[in-house]
């Protein structure tokens, strides 16, 4: 099957390479020349404009977007709406909000262009291990694209599936990332407790390795944690600053809208935000309040 790929960053290029190995013809576009060269170096074809990409694809066209969520996705969908024809399909494999998917599908449907949202997990390991994909869209459209998902997935019939109509794929991926936040926070806190237990002089890398086999807390995330601890047991050179993709925020907001208590996911999100406050005014004010009512000592800078 022929596929157009928009967005040739590291993950987009890796997905293109996996598709090509699976026998698909991939034509890529990215405004960044080096990104296009990376695809060409891997044996793929690239073009330097969206118009050329659409011209190069045979109808009915399938175009996979791997671009940052928000404004850039909006602009890309609008541009494709002006260029594609009835029967073509647009797949958003990035991290869009499911409400944006529903809006984009409505825009494209006026011209008979189909839309599929694909929540994608696997990161840079996907080229080797395959990607976990949560797909939203019309059943017949997803079936038409089935061979693409089968090649990208860890196995033909595992690691991917249509989970519902348009928007459902990114909704499931959003909650997936919220769960991921909580799991990461739990591992981080547990190993921090080990780190502070000076009495035992624990080897954190060793503990992670032990847990990887047979333990009820084993996971791929723990495998990655073990690798990180082996390479850099003291976390030297790293700033205690944790970014977020936005999906944890959306998960918490959705939980509130649905009246669903999600304290662990919410707390893990708050911890990420807290990691960025290197000069915490709230902590300073807490210290001042404690001194005011109890005369407790305050630590000065």
């Amino acid at each position: 099957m022929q596929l157009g790929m928009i967005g040739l960053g590291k993950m987009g290029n890796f997905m293109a390479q996996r598709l090509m190995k699976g026998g698909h013809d991939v034509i890529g576009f990215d405004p960044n020349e080096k990104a296009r060269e990376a695809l060409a170096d891997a044996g793929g074809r690239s073009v330097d404009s969206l118009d050329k990409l659409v011209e190069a694809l045979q109808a009915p066209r399938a175009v996979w977007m791997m671009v940052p969520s928000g404004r850039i996705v909006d602009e890309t969908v609008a541009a494709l709406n002006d260029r594609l024809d009835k029967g073509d399909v647009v797949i958003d494999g990035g991290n869009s909000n499911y409400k944006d998917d529903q809006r984009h599908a409505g825009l494209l449907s006026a011209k008979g262009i189909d839309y599929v949202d694909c929540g994608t997990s696997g990161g840079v390991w996907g080229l080797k291990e395959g990607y976990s994909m949560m797909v939203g869209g019309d059943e017949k459209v997803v079936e038409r694209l089935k061979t693409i998902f089968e090649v990208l997935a860890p196995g033909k019939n595992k690691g991917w599936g249509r989970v519902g109509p348009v928007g459902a794929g990114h909704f499931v991926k959003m909650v997936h990332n919220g769960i991921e936040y909580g799991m990461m926070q739990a591992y981080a806190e547990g190993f921090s407790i080990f780190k502070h237990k000076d009495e035992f002089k624990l080897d954190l890398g060793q503990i992670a390795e032990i847990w990887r086999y047979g333990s009820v807390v084993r996971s791929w995330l723990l495998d990655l944690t073990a690798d990180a601890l082996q390479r850099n047991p003291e976390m030297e050179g790293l700033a205690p600053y944790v970014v977020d993709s936005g999906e944890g925020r959306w998960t918490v907001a959705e939980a509130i809208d649905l009246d669903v208590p999600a304290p662990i996911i919410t707390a893990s999100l708050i911890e990420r935000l807290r990691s960025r406050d290197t000069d915490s005014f709230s902590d300073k004010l807490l210290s001042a309040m404690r001194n005011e009512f109890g005369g407790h000592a305050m630590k000065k800078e």
Side-chain angles (χ1 to χ4, degrees), residues 136-205:
D138 180 84
E139 287 187 57
K140 291 182 180 179
V141 177
V142 174
E143 180 65 24
R144 176 158 67 93
L145 302 170
K146 185 177 180 180
T147 58
I148 293 174
F149 300 123
E150 289 177 339
V151 168
L152 289 172
K156 188 174 181 179
N157 296 308
K158 65 179 181 181
W160 81 276
R162 177 187 177 271
V163 295
V166 168
H170 279 144
F171 182 84
V172 173
K173 176 56 163 49
M174 176 189 74
V175 178
H176 163 284
N177 278 31
I179 294 170
E180 177 187 294
Y181 281 31
M183 292 174 65
M184 291 174 69
Q185 187 66 32
Y187 280 131
E189 291 177 7
F191 280 95
S192 182
I193 293 170
F194 292 151
K195 177 67 175 174
H196 286 81
K197 189 62 174 176
D198 295 332
E199 175 187 356
F200 291 149
K201 294 181 173 55
L202 298 169
D203 183 333
L204 276 57

Side-chain angles (χ1 to χ4, degrees), residues 82-102:
D82 292 337
R83 291 166 172 80
L84 297 180
D85 300 314
K86 182 178 180 180
D88 294 342
V89 59
V90 174
I91 310 128
D92 185 351
N95 286 327
S96 291
N97 188 295
Y98 78 95
K99 295 178 182 178
D100 289 342
D101 292 320
Q102 294 170 331

Side-chain angles (χ1 to χ4, degrees), residues 222-234:
L222 179 63
D223 294 343
L224 298 177
T225 302
D227 290 342
L229 287 168
Q230 291 290 345
R231 290 194 307 271
N232 189 359
E234 298 298 324

Side-chain angles (χ1 to χ4, degrees), residues 57-111:
L57 295 171
Q58 300 172 355
R61 305 173 186 88
V63 180
W64 187 297
M65 299 187 300
M66 286 299 292
V67 299
S69 63
R71 178 182 59 83
I72 298 179
V73 172
D74 288 344
E75 293 173 352
T76 304
V77 170
L80 289 171
N81 188 49
D82 292 337
R83 291 166 172 80
L84 297 180
D85 300 314
K86 182 178 180 180
D88 294 342
V89 59
V90 174
I91 310 128
D92 185 351
N95 286 327
S96 291
N97 188 295
Y98 78 95
K99 295 178 182 178
D100 289 342
D101 292 320
Q102 294 170 331
R103 179 166 51 83
H104 294 150
L107 172 68
L108 295 172
S109 66
K111 284 185 61 176

Side-chain angles (χ1 to χ4, degrees), residues 210-233:
I210 292 171
W211 285 359
R212 288 181 62 197
Y213 305 97
S215 166
V216 295
V217 299
R218 66 187 183 274
S219 69
W220 184 48
L221 184 56
L222 179 63
D223 294 343
L224 298 177
T225 302
D227 290 342
L229 287 168
Q230 291 290 345
R231 290 194 307 271
N232 189 359

